[in-house]
Structures are given as structure tokens and as C-alpha cells.
Amino acid sequence: MRRAMRFVPLALLVSVAVEIAVFVLVGRALGFGAATLLVFAASLLGLVLLRREGVRAWRGFREAAQSRRPPGRQVTDGLVGLLGALLLATPGLVSGLVGLLLLVPPMRRLIRGGLQRVAERRVSSMTAGDLFGPRRVRVYRGGAQQPAQTAPPQAATTPPTSASPARPAAAVEGEAIEGEIVEPR
């Protein structure tokens, strides 16, 4: 984490240089008055959306807490929305475009999933379970570990290859499977 913090001043300097270059290019193409108006309009829209996204995030968190559901999904969705509105409110055309993209629902879901995976890797499994709920685990029957008479007929005759993945096991009502989740490092 400390290594990444070393690059923050450089990243800020590069982002300011990119913003200025894009503003000059748009100013030459549309006129500097139009480019300035575009930046002000985007910032004003960002300020309005910042309030709306903040209230929306708070409501989602509160509803999840009241219904005793893990609040992680609502919190990450709210954080992505707040980040998008904040970037839109920041004066600049590139930051405004990135902020606008973060407010679009498909991109928002994609970023939310990425943030959730990063958070799950950085905290313990118990904390991640408290934040995001239980993890979903798929269980596949392996060829060598399962006796041949209980395996499905196709699985017993044709071993799985790299081109065809193992078939999912049929769920058995009331049967518990013991195991552990091994998290990649």
C-alpha cells in the first residue's frame, strides 16, 4: 500500500496535464467559450448528482441494516455512484467523462463487482461474509475422487478434458458437503 502511495503525486500531475491537453484540444475544435461552458455544465450536473447519490447510498445502507442483510453490495454501489458524481463535479472533461461512465448502470455493476472482489481479498473471510453475505461456491464432482457407480453415466465413460469442463453435480436435498474455501493469494 505504501508503494502505491508513492505514485499519487505523479498520477495527479499526469491527470492535470491530460485534463489541460484535452481542454485545449476541445477548445480548438469547439471554441474556448463552448469548452468552458461544457466544463461548468458537467461540474454543475456532478454537484446535483453528488447529493442524489449520497442520499441513495445512505438509504440503501439503512434498508440493508434494517432488514438484517449484509450491507456490502449497497455500500459498494453507493461508493461507485459517489465516485462517479465526484469525478463529474471535478472540473475537467476527462474526469467528467469517467464520472459519467461510472454512473451508467452496466459499468456501475462491473466496477462494483471489481471493488467487491478487491475487498474480499483484502479482508478476512468472516469480515467479507459479514459485508457481502455468504459466498457462492460451485461443487464439481471429480473423476478420481468419486466412485464410478455414483457418477453420472457420461462422466464415467468420458473423462473431462480441458475443452469440456466437468459436469456440475446434481443437488441432493438435505445433504451437507463439508469443505473449505482456499483463497488465492
Side-chain angles (χ1 to χ4, degrees), residues 66-162:
Q66 286 175 350
S67 64
R68 301 200 187 280
R69 288 180 293 140
R73 182 175 179 183
Q74 284 78 16
V75 169
T76 52
D77 191 42
L79 286 175
V80 171
L82 281 171
L83 179 64
L86 185 65
L87 285 173
L88 194 58
T90 303
L93 295 171
V94 176
S95 63
L97 181 64
V98 171
L100 198 58
L101 284 175
L102 287 178
L103 293 172
V104 175
M107 183 65 75
R108 194 177 201 164
R109 280 191 297 269
L110 183 73
I111 299 297
R112 181 184 66 215
L115 283 175
Q116 183 175 337
R117 284 190 294 277
V118 167
E120 285 176 343
R121 272 188 261 140
R122 297 213 182 256
V123 298
S124 70
S125 293
M126 281 186 66
T127 306
D130 289 343
L131 284 175
F132 302 109
R135 292 185 179 178
R136 298 192 188 279
V137 178
R138 289 187 179 163
V139 177
Y140 294 101
R141 289 188 180 170
Q145 299 167 341
Q146 191 68 24
Q149 59 265 45
T150 60
Q154 291 117 350
T157 58
T158 58
T161 62
S162 61

Side-chain angles (χ1 to χ4, degrees), residues 33 59-60 63 107 140 183:
R59 280 187 190 148
E63 287 173 7
M107 183 65 75
Y140 294 101
E183 296 176 347

